[in-house]
């Protein structure tokens, strides 16, 4: 993984660039071309589930065991991957440090952002009996935590002293990038209940409505820039393909009807956000079609240097190296012997890490794809996510 994210700029280049900037500025002024400068987000505020959890669940409910984190951090750090997640790459692209979990009470620095995501979070409370368990920190609770965070951090800043330096400035709340990755667990909970797929599909508009109501709540509190991930293709996950072996497969081996429900969710979300854009005059709302970005890793793995895209790297058994009772990092008994469920030898050429989450390598590719804007509505690149009028 290359760390050469930022090009090295020499003094000579700077002086050449300054002249260019001057020329461009003159031309721009003369022709009254509207400039679209890159956004300068001083902080990131994230709400979500495991795909964007930077340690919230680990700080509150459940330690994340090895081999999670082994590729990059060389120890588990509460992320559901072998290394960094998409939110880490988003933060780095703005020169910001890792975004700290709100629930982490130990020596935590919130000066450039806060993360309310926990693995297993849903948009709505789970109304069905699901065979899986989920996080109590649903979106509504994350919003409640945000409200307290916004007030309390300013009280602490006004008190001064050592803790004040760990809190974001007040102005950051309006200028921050608000990111979201949530909704997959609402669908998954229902997939693993006695509901039919048609029933799950029919519940989508209600879930999306709840989702967008919180975006509006955040807007009412001053948030302006929103970067909202759609759900991924859940039908390509080993967890779904193992548990629903008779579901129809598509050309790349993914469980088609499950992906169709995800697509319906995403279409609903995209349309609801288009509507919201009309209602909230100062909001820059970017819908990020992360489904298509992720799906391209399954449809054309070689292009991105991946192999066995449907097989879990850290898992155990079956066609997809996944079993419900042998989670990544767990231990199983086989013929009386304990077997540790560890990592495959080369996670950097693999897409799926643990049956439901992506490897760092896959997360980086997905980040590169979505940050260009090619998958977004409007087609706004990440660096422009504060601009309202991008078409
Ligand atoms: C908190 O993070 C900010 C931003 O990275 C940094 O400038 C500051 O020194 C940190 N504060 C402490 C006490 O580590
Ligand atoms: C699912 O099971 C619950 C009880 O466990 C029952 O009340 C409900 O009607 C069932 N729903 C469907 C769609 O079969
Ligand atoms: C889901 O619902 C949408 C909208 O009602 C419909 O167009 C679509 O065919 C449904 N898909 C499935 C898989 O039931
Ligand atoms: C399946 O998981 C095991 C760990 O239990 C790992 O050693 C193995 O390499 C994985 N197989 C594949 C094909 O990734």
């Amino acid at each position: 993984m290359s760390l050469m994210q930022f090009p090295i700029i020499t003094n000579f280049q700077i002086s050449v660039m300054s002249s260019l900037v001057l020329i461009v500025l003159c031309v721009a002024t003369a022709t009254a071309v509207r400039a679209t400068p890159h956004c300068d987000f001083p902080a990131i505020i994230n709400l979500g589930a495991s795909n964007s959890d930077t340690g919230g669940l680990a700080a509150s409910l459940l330690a994340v065991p090895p081999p999670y984190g082994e590729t990059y951090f060389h120890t588990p750090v509460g992320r559901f991957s072998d290394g960094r997640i998409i939110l880490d790459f988003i933060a780095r692209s703005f020169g910001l440090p890792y975004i700290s979990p709100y629930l982490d009470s130990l020596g935590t620095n919130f000066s450039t952002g806060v993360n309310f995501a926990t693995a297993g979070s849903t948009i709505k409370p789970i109304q069905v009996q699901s065979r899986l368990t989920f996080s109590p920190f649903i979106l509504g609770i994350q919003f409640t935590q945000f409200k307290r965070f916004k007030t309390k951090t300013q009280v602490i800043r006004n008190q001064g002293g050592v803790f004040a330096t760990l809190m974001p400035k007040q102005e950051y709340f309006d200028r921050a990038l608000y990111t979201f990755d949530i909704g997959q667990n609402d669908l998954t909970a229902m997939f693993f209940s006695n509901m039919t797929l048609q029933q799950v599909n029919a519940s989508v508009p209600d879930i999306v409505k709840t989702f967008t109501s919180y975006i509006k709540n955040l807007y009412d509190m001053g948030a302006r820039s929103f970067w909202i991930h759609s759900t991924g293709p859940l039908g390509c996950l080993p967890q779904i393909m193992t548990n629903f072996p008779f579901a129809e497969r598509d050309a790349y081996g993914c469980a088609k009807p499950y992906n169709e429900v995800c697509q319906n969710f995403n279409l609903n979300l995209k349309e609801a956000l288009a509507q919201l854009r009309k209602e909230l005059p100062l909001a820059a709302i970017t819908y990020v079609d992360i489904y298509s970005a992720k799906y391209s890793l399954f449809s054309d793995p070689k292009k991105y240097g991946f192999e066995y895209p449907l097989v879990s790297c850290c898992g155990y058994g079956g066609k997809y190296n996944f079993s419900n009772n042998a989670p990544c990092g767990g231990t199983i008994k086989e013929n009386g012997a304990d077997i540790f469920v560890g990592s495959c030898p080369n996670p950097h050429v693999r897409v799926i890490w643990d049956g439901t989450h992506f490897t760092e390598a896959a997360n980086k590719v997905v980040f590169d794809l979505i940050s260009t804007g090619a998958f977004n509505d409007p087609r706004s690149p990440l660096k422009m996510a504060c601009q309202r009028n991008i078409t």
Side-chain angles (χ1 to χ4, degrees):
M1 184 71 44
S2 161
L3 284 173
M4 292 297 292
Q5 171 89 348
F6 307 104
I8 294 161
I9 299 175
T10 64
N11 281 338
F12 170 72
Q13 284 171 310
I14 286 175
S15 69
V16 171
M17 277 163 53
S18 309
S19 323
L20 280 175
V21 166
L22 264 180
I23 294 166
V24 169
L25 275 180
C26 294
V27 171
T29 316
T31 57
V33 169
R34 209 175 131 273
T36 49
H38 287 178
C39 308
D40 170 30
F41 298 116
I44 293 176
I45 295 172
N46 181 71
L47 295 87
S50 57
N51 286 333
S52 61
D53 186 348
T54 53
L57 194 78
S60 56
L61 288 171
L62 200 69
V64 178
Y68 283 89
E70 66 162 25
T71 300
Y72 187 78
F73 300 99
H74 309 298
T75 184
V77 289
R79 284 165 177 75
F80 290 82
S81 180
D82 59 317
R84 288 165 292 179
I85 57 173
I86 291 168
L87 184 61
D88 296 325
F89 293 115
I90 292 178
R92 189 177 72 161
S93 76
F94 292 110
L96 298 172
Y98 297 122
I99 310 301
S100 303
Y102 170 76
L103 292 166
D104 195 348
S105 50
L106 303 174
T108 309
N109 190 337
F110 294 113
S111 60
T112 55
V114 58
N115 187 2
F116 299 94
T118 70
S121 287
T122 50
I123 292 170
K124 287 181 71 99
I126 296 188
Q127 321 257 9
V128 291
Q129 277 198 349
S130 185
R131 301 198 290 283
L132 305 176
T133 43
F134 292 89
S135 165
F137 301 106
I138 61 172
L139 186 58
I141 292 183
Q142 295 183 24
F143 176 67
T144 304
Q145 293 171 335
F146 168 79
K147 282 193 291 185
R148 176 171 182 270
F149 180 85
K150 191 173 179 191
T151 316
K152 188 82 191 278
T153 52
Q154 297 319 299
V155 172
I156 294 171
R157 274 187 69 86
N158 292 337
Q159 283 167 348
V162 58
F163 294 116
T165 64
L166 301 172
M167 303 296 144
K169 292 181 184 158
Q170 183 157 33
E171 67 188 83
Y172 285 11
F173 285 92
D174 296 0
R175 291 175 51 208
L177 179 64
Y178 287 76
T179 55
F180 303 80
D181 192 308
I182 195 162
Q184 295 196 170
N185 292 320
D186 296 75
L187 301 180
T188 303
M190 292 187 281
F191 290 159
F192 286 84
S193 76
N194 62 359
M195 287 172 79
T196 65
L197 278 185
Q198 280 67 30
Q199 288 170 324
V200 178
N201 193 43
S203 74
V204 157
D206 194 38
I207 300 170
V208 167
K209 208 169 140 213
T210 304
F211 192 177
T212 51
S213 75
Y214 286 109
I215 292 166
K216 189 165 182 311
N217 289 348
L218 287 163
Y219 178 86
D220 290 340
M221 293 184 67
R224 291 296 176 260
S225 302
F226 300 89
W227 179 264
I228 300 162
H229 292 174
S230 71
T231 118
L234 298 180
C236 302
L237 299 180
Q239 180 196 38
I240 294 291
M241 293 185 299
T242 301
N243 283 285
F244 305 102
F246 303 115
E248 186 192 343
R249 297 306 202 243
D250 68 13
Y252 307 108
C254 301
K256 195 173 168 194
Y258 291 84
N259 276 347
E260 281 169 358
V261 175
C262 298
Q263 285 167 349
N264 182 40
F265 180 96
N266 294 339
L267 184 64
N268 261 263
L269 179 62
K270 185 178 174 182
E271 285 171 355
L273 294 178
Q275 181 57 34
L276 211 53
R277 224 171 269 128
K278 290 182 194 152
E279 290 169 24
L280 310 179
L282 301 175
I285 298 174
T286 309
Y287 165 83
V288 181
D289 178 11
I290 213 166
Y291 179 106
S292 299
K294 286 181 173 174
Y295 193 76
S296 55
L297 273 53
F298 300 107
S299 63
D300 200 358
K302 283 204 181 72
K303 176 174 175 188
Y304 303 100
F306 293 121
E307 55 187 29
Y308 312 119
L310 300 177
V311 179
S312 185
C313 163
C314 181
Y316 185 78
K319 192 173 168 191
Y320 306 106
N321 207 26
F322 179 87
S323 349
N324 295 325
N325 53 7
C328 177
T331 307
I332 49 161
K333 277 239 185 292
E334 201 184 67
N335 304 325
D338 283 342
I339 299 181
F340 176 64
V341 181
S343 169
C344 65
N346 291 320
H348 59 275
V349 295
R350 301 293 289 274
V351 176
I352 299 293
W353 166 243
D354 64 358
T356 47
H357 305 105
F358 286 60
T359 60
E360 165 171 302
N363 285 332
K364 176 66 167 61
V365 171
V366 173
F367 166 78
D368 287 342
L369 290 173
I370 59 175
S371 58
T372 64
F375 289 90
N376 301 346
D377 177 45
R379 291 191 171 266
S380 146
L382 180 59
K383 296 260 186 238
M384 301 284 197
C386 62
Q387 302 285 340
R388 188 178 151 78
N389 295 312
I390 292 187
T391 47

